């Protein structure tokens, strides 16, 4: 499975960006898709993930970011509003298959897209 992320860029504080991540076709379900980010000198951290029944957000982005998914297109989106300089990071798309009778659990990462928020 290949994940192709897009939509990063440079924006002023208070602005908005929308990230997209399209997954190639897979013979198994992508049960959870989402976004992580990594700022220089920091560990990679969860931003938001979405499954068929639930969404989870980091406390730092609740109320500002919204994750959604188009299963027909195998694409996950991250709408980022009210951006802050501390949101500056490389954002990575992630997709996960939890395991089934025919396929073992597996995890995939996209190539990362830079988001820079200027003050």
């Amino acid at each position: 499975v290949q994940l192709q992320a897009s939509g990063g860029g440079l924006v002023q504080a208070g602005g908005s960006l929308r990230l997209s991540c399209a997954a190639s076709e897979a013979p198994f379900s992508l049960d959870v898709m989402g976004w992580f980010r990594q700022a220089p000198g920091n560990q990679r951290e969860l931003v938001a993930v979405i499954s068929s029944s639930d969404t989870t957000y980091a406390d730092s982005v609740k109320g500002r970011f919204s994750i959604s998914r188009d299963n027909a297109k195998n694409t996950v989106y991250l709408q980022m509003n009210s951006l802050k300089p501390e949101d500056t990071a490389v954002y990575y798309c992630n997709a996960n298959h939890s395991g089934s009778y025919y396929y073992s659990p597996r995890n995939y990462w996209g190539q990362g897209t830079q988001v820079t928020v200027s003050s």
Side-chain angles (χ1 to χ4, degrees), residues 9-17 37 64-65 80-89 91 114-119:
L10 173 64
V11 64
Q12 288 188 334
S16 298
L17 283 174
R37 67 186 180 187
R64 301 188 298 121
F65 291 11
M80 304 185 293
N81 299 326
S82 302
L83 282 160
K84 304 175 180 180
E86 50 263 44
D87 294 317
T88 295
Y91 284 68
Q114 177 71 46
V115 171
T116 303
V117 185
S118 62
S119 57

Side-chain angles (χ1 to χ4, degrees), residues 21-79:
C21 175
S24 60
E25 287 193 15
F28 43 81
S29 58
L30 297 175
D31 302 307
V32 181
M33 296 184 73
W35 296 91
F36 291 69
R37 67 186 180 187
Q38 187 167 17
N42 291 356
Q43 291 188 344
R44 191 172 297 187
E45 62 177 5
L46 180 146
V47 177
V49 293
I50 183 168
S51 68
S52 60
S53 59
D54 197 14
T55 56
T56 300
Y57 294 92
D59 288 342
S60 59
V61 307
K62 283 181 181 176
R64 301 188 298 121
F65 291 11
S66 177
I67 190 169
S68 61
R69 181 172 176 173
D70 185 336
N71 290 323
K73 296 181 179 180
N74 248 7
T75 300
V76 63
Y77 305 96
L78 185 68
Q79 178 65 44

